[in-house]
Amino acid sequence: MTQIFNTIGLIGKPHHEGANNTLTALYHWLIEQSYKVLVEEQTGQQLTIDGLNLVSINQVGEQADLAIVVGGDGNMLGAARVLSRYDIAVLGVNRGNLGFLTDLDPFNFEHPLKEVLQGEFITEKRCLLEAKVLRHNAVKSRNSAVNEVVLHLDKVATMLEFEVYIDDHFMLSQRADGLIVTTPTGSTAYSLSAGGPILTPNLDAIALVPMFPHTLSSRPIVVDSDSEIKLKLSHDNSEHMNISCDSHVSLPVMPGDEVIIRKQNHPLRLVHPKSYDYFKILRTKLGWGSRLF
């Protein structure tokens, strides 16, 4: 049988004994199946296996056909921001808590993984956001986010002022603790806790969710994913503001700065076992009720 995936990259969760045990089992199993295996260098340094082919995460994206990320959703987010730049399939093994993005059971991965490797899988394209901070019309910093881009202050319970433009059309001015701009993937993360809508992954949409707005009429809004979102920050704001990408990357912003948020050109290519059911995951993770009849 022709192999769909010839080279497989392994990416792990730093300093996590359980993840390292799963990675070790995965590595030996894949070698037994005659796959070429690349191991992300920081991951490989934690494994007691001789002869590992250690590479950078960018080299995983360049050289592998499939990347398997062992860890929680946070590890998947970090890997996805890099791997989305490459034409590589990504699959997760859950060694975290929630596991919205990591499908495989670390103790029983063999059968579903074998099916995936034989071509029995579902492919999803998940969009990412790109955030740019502009100061005096010059780009000061930029980064990408799988879940959400958040404008917020360092201080707790302190209002900031900003204006929101959609495709250069003024939408509203806002006094709030901040603003969450979320992808469908991120709609079950920070946005959900702030009262935002759940967006199914197949939607081409972005949601804007105010954080503790200083008006009862302020509500989340969903816009087309091809929209350009511009935030203009008031000159009266505190100097201690940030743009946070997936709660991992922080971009400092100053009073008077502008923030441009758009869909990234390159989506993440997630693969799932055929048994994958998004609504089953929602029911399980969010504690929704089961069938009545």
Side-chain angles (χ1 to χ4, degrees):
M1 180 182 296
T2 303
Q3 290 184 343
I4 297 175
F5 304 111
N6 296 304
T7 303
I8 299 175
L10 297 181
I11 301 169
K13 183 175 183 177
H15 313 297
H16 191 283
E17 182 180 354
N20 290 341
N21 292 338
T22 301
L23 284 160
T24 299
L26 260 173
Y27 177 84
H28 289 303
W29 186 84
L30 290 168
I31 292 297
E32 289 175 0
Q33 310 298 314
S34 301
Y35 288 95
K36 179 181 179 182
V37 182
L38 308 177
V39 182
E40 188 272 328
E41 52 195 355
Q42 292 184 351
T43 299
Q45 289 167 7
Q46 302 178 88
L47 304 179
T48 55
I49 303 174
D50 294 329
L52 291 177
N53 190 349
L54 300 182
V55 297
S56 69
I57 189 170
N58 284 289
Q59 288 174 311
V60 170
E62 292 168 350
Q63 300 176 26
D65 308 303
L66 171 70
I68 301 177
V69 182
V70 179
D73 285 344
N75 301 97
M76 177 64 88
L77 294 175
R81 286 195 299 274
V82 177
L83 297 176
S84 62
R85 307 171 200 161
Y86 304 96
D87 185 25
I88 183 173
V90 182
L91 175 67
V93 179
N94 187 22
R95 269 294 188 175
N97 295 317
L98 285 175
F100 274 101
L101 296 173
T102 48
D103 296 329
L104 299 187
D105 184 332
F107 304 106
N108 298 287
F109 64 80
E110 292 89 348
H111 178 69
L113 179 55
K114 186 174 183 178
E115 290 187 337
V116 168
L117 296 175
Q118 291 175 343
E120 295 295 315
F121 58 83
I122 300 167
T123 300
E124 277 189 333
K125 296 290 183 72
R126 299 287 186 100
C127 75
L128 283 77
L129 298 175
E130 181 184 62
K132 297 188 295 185
V133 177
L134 279 69
R135 189 169 304 148
H136 308 303
N137 296 319
V139 176
K140 301 300 294 183
S141 58
R142 67 199 306 164
N143 217 296
S144 59
V146 181
N147 272 352
E148 71 277 306
V149 173
V150 182
L151 169 66
H152 63 95
L153 281 162
D154 286 345
K155 297 179 181 179
V156 177
T158 303
M159 291 283 181
L160 58 83
E161 296 182 346
F162 55 94
E163 294 178 343
V164 181
Y165 293 76
I166 305 294
D167 294 326
D168 281 330
H169 296 283
F170 173 69
M171 185 174 77
L172 60 87
S173 59
Q174 186 83 78
R175 293 188 74 242
D177 280 17
L179 180 73
I180 301 170
V181 181
T182 182
T183 65
T185 301
S187 68
T188 52
Y190 192 19
S191 170
L192 185 65
S193 66
I198 294 177
L199 308 177
T200 57
N202 59 330
L203 288 177
D204 288 324
I206 299 170
L208 283 68
V209 183
M211 298 166 59
F212 300 103
H214 200 228
T215 171
L216 295 176
S217 62
S218 186
R219 292 290 184 268
I221 184 170
V222 179
V223 300
D224 186 272
S225 67
D226 289 325
S227 301
E228 178 187 89
I229 300 161
K230 181 190 297 180
L231 310 180
K232 291 187 177 182
L233 307 184
S234 169
H235 289 277
D236 296 328
N237 285 317
S238 161
E239 294 187 359
H240 303 285
M241 296 178 290
N242 284 286
I243 289 291
S244 175
C245 298
D246 291 339
S247 300
H248 286 186
V249 180
S250 184
L251 310 177
V253 288
M254 299 287 290
D257 283 355
E258 294 185 356
V259 181
I260 306 295
I261 303 167
R262 292 190 62 97
K263 181 173 70 175
Q264 182 179 282
N265 289 332
H266 307 291
L268 173 68
R269 182 156 60 101
L270 277 183
V271 295
H272 306 284
K274 283 279 191 178
S275 60
Y276 173 78
D277 182 338
Y278 178 73
F279 295 106
K280 180 180 179 181
I281 291 173
L282 288 185
R283 288 195 304 274
T284 301
K285 306 300 182 183
L286 301 181
W288 287 359
S290 56
R291 291 183 177 179
L292 297 177
F293 47 84

